[in-house]
Amino acid sequence: MRGFGPGRTARCLLLLRVSPRPPRPPGPRLSSGPAAASGALERAMDELLRRAVPPTPVYELREKTPAPAEGQCADFVSFYSGLAEVAERAELLGRLARGFGVDHGQVAEQSASVLQLRQQQREAAVLLQAEDRLRYALVPRYRGLFHHISKLDGGVRFLVRLRADLLEAQALRLVEGPDVREMNGVLKGMLSEWFSSGFLNLERVTWHSSCEVLQKVSESEAVHPVKSWMDMKRRVGPYRRCYFFSHCSTPGEPLIVLHVALTSDITSNIQAIVKECPPSETEEKNKIAAAIFYSISLAQQGLQGVELGTFLVKRVIKELQKDFPHLGTFSSLSPIPGFTKWLLGLLNSQMKELGRNELFTDSECKELSELTGGPANETLKAFLGSHEWVKSEKLVRALQAPLMRLCAWYLYGEKHRGYALNPVANFHLQNGAVMWRINWMADTSLKGLSGSCGLMVNYRYFLDETGPNSTAYLGSKSIKASEQVLNLVAQFQKNSKL
């Protein structure tokens, strides 16, 4: 704790224990019974939207109509911020999506006009203006509200929170339907423009950063949760780097966070990074030969789907090359979320067909049955679900070969619309990384065992190949993988029959 007094340490420790979400101010709650309150609140919502959502000007006056009074948009922000319940916010967002979208009558009219002009083979200028009218008709009214809110002080931050609420409401099925999905897409598109790389600042986190930043980084860590302030100190200390993007309008506010370990080689075990202390308090550059990206987490859930991670990895690589010109090895050490669930699903489906075994060889089935005391598929499903198998060295050894090849197939062979099914694999492959090495017993934490049977994977970034690899993956859906991964895939194809 060198360089810090007990007051700062205690303050950081206190902040790390505080709940991240501040309480909302008292909202427009109405009494006189649940039914009356609900009806009054709905009427208040309708009145608010009627007043706050600007009408769409006619096409000819689109550039001459003055902007709505700032107070109208501020009223919406204030009213929305005062709604304490998720269901209440979902109701307001649903009414906004359904009642203030596109005027379908206008779209039909303008579409017919474009088709008619094409059939008449009118001159280009007339057709282009008709197409512009159609584009204008396709803009939903609520887009104008979002646009004007973005100009308010703190407006963009509010819209990020609003989209986070919308995603949460959709996940809970409090609000559904094509209108809601369309509004989510419109807002995502607007945020993608506002949070493009030119508006993002790269900031490094150290133990000298403010307690508020350390707290936010700690709370946003979704891959390997921070357990204490000492844990946090280690992750921003010697041989470690932590960076985040902030927006130019909100400097110091983390949007997405990347943790990096500076090591002598490509690490195969996460405990060596997050638990073990660095070799010394002072970094020796000659001991640093590799940069390992071991965690990337979104700090603002309203920015889901907005491309930030790819830009962050690229910017951090450039930053590290400035500090360590000799550094040439860049790799991730990534979790494999979903692998255990996928495997348990396979075991469950095979249990339903007695005697069916398409995952293990006969010798593997025999050994597993002897070790578990029952049919391989049935007992293994129970063991993997309870994490008890890691307590048996013999069972760990017996499972290594089959689980390694099954994992290789899950990463390399299981697809969604032609791309890697696993979201982490898809992210790194889109960036042009190589599926380089699958690591056995790489994460023995409860989360690691639950998500991926303790397996992790390195995606390696060969900087002169990332461009062609990314193009090949996005264009022809071709995955670049190492010899180790391809050999495991070949073993799967030989020994397993799915």
Side-chain angles (χ1 to χ4, degrees):
M1 296 193 288
R2 184 173 52 193
F4 292 89
R8 176 182 170 85
T9 300
R11 183 177 173 224
C12 284
L13 178 58
L14 177 63
L15 278 169
L16 287 172
R17 291 175 174 171
V18 172
S19 174
R21 185 156 189 154
R24 291 178 179 265
R29 291 191 164 278
L30 302 168
S31 55
S32 304
S38 175
L41 183 57
E42 290 172 0
R43 289 193 295 274
M45 289 180 179
D46 290 338
E47 173 60 25
L48 169 77
L49 294 175
R50 185 191 62 76
R51 190 174 67 250
V53 182
T56 302
V58 296
Y59 179 79
E60 290 75 12
L61 299 178
R62 66 194 183 283
E63 295 177 356
K64 300 176 182 178
T65 303
E70 186 176 292
Q72 293 177 230
C73 298
D75 285 347
F76 179 89
V77 172
S78 177
F79 185 100
Y80 183 89
S81 299
L83 295 173
E85 302 296 329
V86 176
E88 294 173 346
R89 299 195 295 274
E91 177 65 25
L92 179 59
L93 293 175
R95 288 171 180 265
L96 177 62
R98 290 188 296 270
F100 297 87
V102 168
D103 183 336
H104 298 293
Q106 272 293 310
V107 171
E109 182 180 327
Q110 299 303 328
S111 298
S113 177
V114 170
L115 290 173
Q116 184 179 17
L117 290 171
R118 282 182 59 84
Q119 291 169 354
Q120 295 173 353
Q121 297 184 344
R122 298 289 296 276
E123 56 269 27
V126 175
L127 182 59
L128 288 173
Q129 186 182 52
E131 290 174 345
D132 191 50
R133 285 176 176 271
L134 175 57
R135 275 192 297 273
Y136 185 69
L138 285 167
V139 177
R141 277 185 64 183
Y142 50 68
R143 195 184 195 283
L145 174 66
F146 297 153
H147 174 71
H148 292 300
I149 287 176
S150 72
K151 297 180 179 181
L152 299 176
D153 185 26
V156 172
R157 180 185 296 177
F158 168 81
L159 290 172
V160 172
R161 290 200 304 269
L162 183 144
R163 182 164 183 258
D165 290 341
L166 180 59
L167 291 171
E168 181 185 13
Q170 287 180 289
L172 295 172
R173 298 193 174 182
L174 294 172
V175 60
E176 298 179 278
D179 295 320
V180 173
R181 291 193 294 272
E182 175 67 15
M183 188 170 77
N184 176 46
V186 168
L187 187 51
K188 174 189 168 185
M190 298 177 78
L191 291 172
S192 295
E193 293 180 7
W194 296 331
F195 287 86
S196 61
S197 59
F199 299 118
L200 302 177
N201 301 318
L202 182 67
E203 300 190 39
R204 181 183 167 190
V205 183
T206 70
W207 192 240
H208 294 274
S209 298
S210 70
C211 291
E212 289 75 14
V213 166
L214 290 170
Q215 177 196 13
K216 290 172 183 175
V217 170
S218 170
E219 290 164 353
S220 69
E221 176 52 46
V223 185
H224 307 291
V226 177
K227 296 181 179 179
S228 66
W229 63 274
M230 281 298 292
D231 187 8
M232 187 68 218
K233 183 179 181 182
R234 186 162 52 240
R235 297 191 194 197
V236 297
Y239 297 95
R240 300 291 182 266
R241 293 293 186 273
C242 178
Y243 299 93
F244 67 84
F245 267 152
S246 64
H247 192 262
C248 58
S249 67
T250 54
E253 178 80 21
L255 305 175
I256 186 170
V257 183
L258 178 65
H259 289 270
V260 186
L262 304 175
T263 61
S264 59
D265 55 14
I266 297 180
T267 312
S268 61
N269 184 283
I270 191 61
Q271 273 71 42
I273 291 177
V274 298
K275 286 192 174 182
E276 295 180 11
C277 292
S280 66
E281 285 294 317
T282 304
E283 289 181 353
E284 299 179 40
K285 290 194 174 183
N286 62 344
K287 291 184 178 180
I288 297 173
I292 309 300
F293 312 124
Y294 68 92
S295 173
I296 185 166
S297 297
L298 194 62
Q300 305 287 342
Q301 295 309 306
L303 295 176
Q304 287 182 40
V306 177
E307 189 174 9
L308 297 174
T310 298
F311 296 134
L312 180 57
V313 170
K314 290 178 179 178
R315 289 274 291 274
V316 166
I317 287 175
K318 289 181 180 179
E319 191 72 15
L320 291 171
Q321 286 180 315
K322 291 179 185 176
D323 296 339
F324 306 96
H326 68 285
L327 192 60
T329 301
F330 300 91
S331 173
S332 77
L333 179 59
S334 301
I336 312 171
F339 172 62
T340 301
K341 182 179 179 180
W342 174 81
L343 178 57
L344 290 174
L346 291 181
L347 292 170
N348 190 54
S349 65
Q350 297 204 0
M351 282 169 55
K352 293 178 180 178
E353 299 182 32
L354 297 178
R356 182 183 173 197
N357 171 46
E358 296 181 346
L359 299 181
F360 309 106
T361 64
D362 292 340
S363 60
E364 288 169 347
C365 273
K366 181 180 178 182
E367 183 179 10
L368 290 172
S369 295
E370 290 174 353
L371 290 172
T372 59
N377 287 345
E378 184 176 341
T379 54
L380 191 56
K381 181 173 180 289
F383 269 91
L384 292 178
S386 67
H387 320 120
E388 290 296 313
W389 62 281
V390 293
K391 297 179 181 179
S392 168
E393 292 184 11
K394 292 182 178 180
L395 192 54
V396 169
R397 284 197 301 271
L399 284 172
Q400 181 172 356
L403 290 192
M404 286 281 283
R405 68 171 183 262
L406 283 163
C407 184
W409 178 257
Y410 170 71
L411 292 171
Y412 186 87
E414 291 293 319
K415 303 292 178 63
H416 174 66
R417 297 178 179 174
Y419 298 105
L421 173 67
N422 182 266
V424 179
N426 187 53
F427 169 76
H428 288 290
L429 293 171
Q430 284 185 5
N431 292 347
V434 175
M435 192 179 289
W436 191 67
R437 185 175 67 194
I438 298 173
N439 304 294
W440 179 245
M441 289 290 99
D443 184 1
T444 54
S445 69
L446 184 61
K447 185 174 182 179
L449 293 170
S450 300
S452 58
C453 298
L455 288 152
M456 298 189 78
V457 57
N458 298 113
Y459 297 97
R460 188 165 176 181
Y461 286 75
F462 296 94
L463 301 187
D464 55 344
E465 298 178 12
T466 53
N469 290 348
S470 177
T471 300
Y473 179 69
L474 293 172
S476 60
K477 302 173 182 177
S478 173
I479 294 177
K480 186 72 175 292
S482 69
E483 186 175 349
Q484 184 236 27
V485 173
L486 294 176
N487 284 340
L488 287 169
V489 169
Q491 291 174 32
F492 170 85
Q493 293 171 326
K494 176 182 177 182
N495 297 304
S496 302
K497 305 177 184 67
L498 291 182

